[in-house]
Amino acid sequence: MTTVSTAGVRADRDTHFEVEQFYYEEADLLDAGRYTDWLDLLADDLDYWMPTRTNRLRRQQALSVAARGEAAFYDESKESLAWRIRRFDSGMAWAEDPPSRTRHLITNVMVRHVDPAEHAGFTADDLLAHSAFLVYRNRLEREENVFAGTRTDILRRTENGLQIARRTILLDQNILLAKNISTFF
């Protein structure tokens, strides 16, 4: 009996729906400031990366996104994100006291099974999900920021549901006008 590989194949609609609902729950946790609960959605071996970006001529577009080891807004593990969250709760994170209000809008979700040939350490049971986001942030009386971009995640199925094992965030803007970047994406 031969089994058909799902590597690289688009996920079925039930799986797609499950991933969308997972993202909506994640957005709700972030917008409610429930960061400790959000950490439960992250795998212990999480890689959370948001590289910087530069404007380049069309022929140099491959160089517009910083490579690993170059400048990044976030290059985090679950442990370092947990440290950031503990700092928020300590009252010592002045950039978030009073805390920001955010609204995460997630759209254009596309889900495929991981191709292990392209993502070492993962299997075709894991999911590769692309999504677009718009994050609105308001703080104090006049501080407003809008972040737009895309995320590429590898989601792992666990006994407790889906978890984010890898997240690459790519902002559409290359110069941030925000006074700080203490928002999770």
Side-chain angles (χ1 to χ4, degrees):
M1 177 177 187
T2 60
T3 57
V4 177
S5 174
T6 58
V9 173
R10 187 181 316 180
D12 61 42
R13 75 174 160 211
D14 290 339
T15 302
H16 188 275
F17 181 76
E18 177 186 17
V19 169
E20 283 182 323
Q21 295 304 304
F22 174 79
Y23 282 152
Y24 301 154
E25 177 186 355
E26 178 191 20
D28 188 54
L29 291 173
L30 290 171
D31 292 339
R34 294 175 51 199
Y35 302 121
T36 303
D37 293 334
W38 175 66
L39 282 173
D40 292 338
L41 302 181
L42 310 179
D44 289 340
D45 63 341
L46 172 74
D47 178 31
Y48 187 91
W49 184 53
M50 184 188 330
T52 59
R53 151 176 241 181
T54 58
N55 289 330
R56 297 287 184 145
L57 297 173
R58 191 174 301 276
R59 67 179 177 269
Q60 296 176 318
Q61 282 302 296
L63 302 173
S64 68
V65 176
R68 283 290 184 166
E70 295 180 352
F73 294 113
Y74 284 107
D75 191 356
E76 306 284 342
S77 64
K78 182 175 182 177
E79 184 178 322
S80 64
L81 289 173
W83 180 86
R84 284 178 183 264
I85 290 166
R86 283 191 303 274
R87 191 166 164 265
F88 283 169
D89 294 338
S90 75
M92 299 304 292
W94 306 116
E96 280 299 314
D97 197 13
S100 298
R101 289 179 297 278
T102 61
R103 183 66 51 214
H104 289 71
L105 304 175
I106 310 301
T107 187
N108 297 10
V109 177
M110 297 179 289
V111 184
R112 297 184 109 54
H113 291 273
V114 167
D115 184 344
E118 294 178 17
H119 301 280
F122 293 96
T123 71
D125 291 332
D126 298 317
L127 301 168
L128 181 66
H130 296 279
S131 60
F133 66 84
L134 185 70
V135 176
Y136 170 81
R137 176 178 174 249
N138 177 275
R139 187 169 175 276
L140 302 173
E141 290 180 18
R142 293 184 178 90
E143 247 180 79
E144 285 186 316
N145 305 111
V146 176
F147 304 97
T150 185
R151 304 181 308 187
T152 302
D153 294 339
I154 296 181
L155 304 175
R156 184 181 295 139
R157 198 174 294 286
T158 70
E159 62 187 32
N160 297 325
L162 294 173
Q163 284 191 324
I164 302 163
R166 301 287 178 272
R167 173 164 284 171
T168 301
I169 306 149
L170 188 58
L171 291 174
D172 289 338
Q173 59 264 57
N174 63 335
I175 296 177
L176 298 182
L177 301 177
K179 292 180 181 175
N180 64 52
I181 186 162
S182 56
T183 303
F184 299 116
F185 295 91

